[in-house]
């Protein structure tokens, strides 16, 4: 459980870059940039637990590509016999700040997941009411357990004032739906649908709040299935 969807939202760009060349300007992400979020996860048995997500840029190139560590703190605990762990990964983004791979360095063996088609970035610059075309991304992992296809669609709802631990922000509200299908090595499919609502600060375009409501095509049968997640900016960018 925890922060499995953040990578689809991505993170904002940095400053700098040459805008004189043809094509879109390069947005270089500052090395060492750190952002913290307060997370609260709820499972299918209404168990809720808080933890914190720490994002740190660990590599950055002049072409705009970068890598970011994604570490969960304080969420490793057992509730009603189910062990909950937090994420520990390094996400790599291309020059367009699209997610291209995630590495999980503390698994044995180390697992890397790569996107044949990157997840679409959310249109933070779209006007109110505008939808964007349905997109589809595809991920495979070196453990060979499952390939994941994600279909994404949504629209800009409007602007709202949002209060989170980092402060109060005028934010653009975006809502979208993710339909995820995991296909195992034996050909078995597991499908889930996530309704995601995110709020971006109008000034920095940084994500300040997000909610994830998740439903599954098949009944869980056991505790431990994530059904809701709340993410709030803990420290101001």
């Amino acid at each position: 459980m925890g922060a499995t969807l953040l990578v689809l939202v991505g993170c904002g760009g940095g400053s700098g870059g040459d805008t004189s060349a043809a094509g879109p300007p390069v947005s270089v992400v500052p090395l060492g940039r750190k952002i913290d979020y307060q997370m609260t996860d709820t499972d299918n048995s209404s168990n809720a637990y808080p933890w914190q997500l720490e994002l740190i840029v660990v590599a950055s190139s002049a072409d705009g590509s970068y890598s970011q560590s994604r570490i969960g703190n304080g969420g490793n605990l057992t509730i009603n016999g189910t062990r909950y762990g937090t994420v520990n990964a390094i996400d790599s983004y291309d020059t367009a700040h699209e997610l291209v791979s995630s590495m999980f360095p503390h698994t044995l063996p180390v697992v890397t997941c790569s996107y044949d088609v990157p997840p679409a970035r959310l249109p933070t610059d779209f006007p109110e009411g505008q939808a964007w075309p349905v997109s589809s991304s595809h991920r495979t992992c070196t453990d060979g357990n499952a390939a994941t296809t994600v279909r994404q669609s949504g629209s800009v709802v409007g602007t709202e004032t949002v209060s989170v631990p980092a402060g109060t922000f005028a934010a653009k509200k975006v809502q979208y739906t993710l339909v995820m299908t995991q296909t195992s090595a034996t050909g078995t499919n597991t499908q889930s649908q996530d309704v995601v609502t995110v709020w971006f600060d109008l000034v920095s375009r940084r994500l300040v709040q997000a909610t994830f409501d998740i439903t599954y095509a098949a009944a869980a049968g056991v505790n431990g299935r994530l059904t809701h997640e709340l993410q709030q900016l803990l420290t101001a960018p």
Side-chain angles (χ1 to χ4, degrees):
M1 284 176 61
T4 55
L5 302 177
L6 179 70
V7 294
L8 300 176
V9 183
C11 76
S15 60
D18 181 9
T19 61
S20 61
V26 173
S27 180
V28 178
V29 179
L31 182 65
R33 185 188 66 185
K34 178 183 176 183
I35 306 173
D36 293 305
Y37 289 96
Q38 178 64 50
M39 313 291 291
T40 303
D41 286 354
T42 304
D43 71 5
N44 58 306
S45 296
S46 298
N47 297 313
Y49 73 94
W51 55 285
Q52 291 181 8
L53 177 66
E54 179 182 85
L55 305 177
I56 301 177
V57 175
V58 295
S60 180
S61 299
D63 63 2
S65 61
Y66 69 100
S67 295
Q68 178 172 260
S69 66
R70 179 163 47 101
I71 302 173
N73 298 305
N76 294 299
L77 73 166
T78 300
I79 300 177
N80 292 347
T82 298
R83 178 71 175 175
Y84 296 89
T86 49
V87 69
N88 189 325
I90 297 176
D91 300 320
S92 296
Y93 295 80
D94 62 16
T95 58
H97 296 180
E98 296 173 321
L99 179 68
V100 293
S101 67
S102 296
M103 181 181 69
F104 301 88
H106 294 291
T107 59
L108 294 175
V110 172
V111 173
T112 299
C113 297
S114 300
Y115 287 87
D116 305 328
V117 180
R121 295 181 65 206
L122 297 188
T124 57
D125 55 347
F126 275 18
E128 182 176 343
Q130 183 168 341
W132 61 90
V134 174
S135 63
S136 183
S137 61
H138 184 253
R139 182 185 72 178
T140 56
C141 299
T142 55
D143 59 7
N145 286 335
T148 305
T149 299
V150 181
R151 287 177 59 81
Q152 176 177 318
S153 60
S155 63
V156 178
V157 178
T159 57
E160 291 183 354
T161 299
V162 178
S163 293
V164 296
T168 299
F169 299 85
K172 178 171 289 188
K173 182 179 180 181
V174 176
Q175 189 169 71
Y176 64 104
T177 299
L178 301 172
V179 178
M180 291 188 282
T181 303
Q182 288 188 317
T183 305
S184 69
T186 60
T188 303
N189 290 333
T190 302
Q191 191 173 81
S192 63
Q193 177 174 291
D194 310 333
V195 176
V196 187
T197 306
V198 296
W199 289 261
F200 290 96
D201 175 32
L202 292 177
V203 177
S204 67
R205 296 189 179 181
R206 186 79 67 233
L207 185 150
V208 295
Q209 181 171 278
T211 61
F212 308 89
D213 290 288
I214 308 164
T215 57
Y216 300 85
V222 295
N223 293 339
R225 177 172 280 183
L226 179 66
T227 58
H228 180 79
E229 185 166 83
L230 170 65
Q231 175 181 343
Q232 293 183 309
L233 186 64
L234 188 60
T235 57

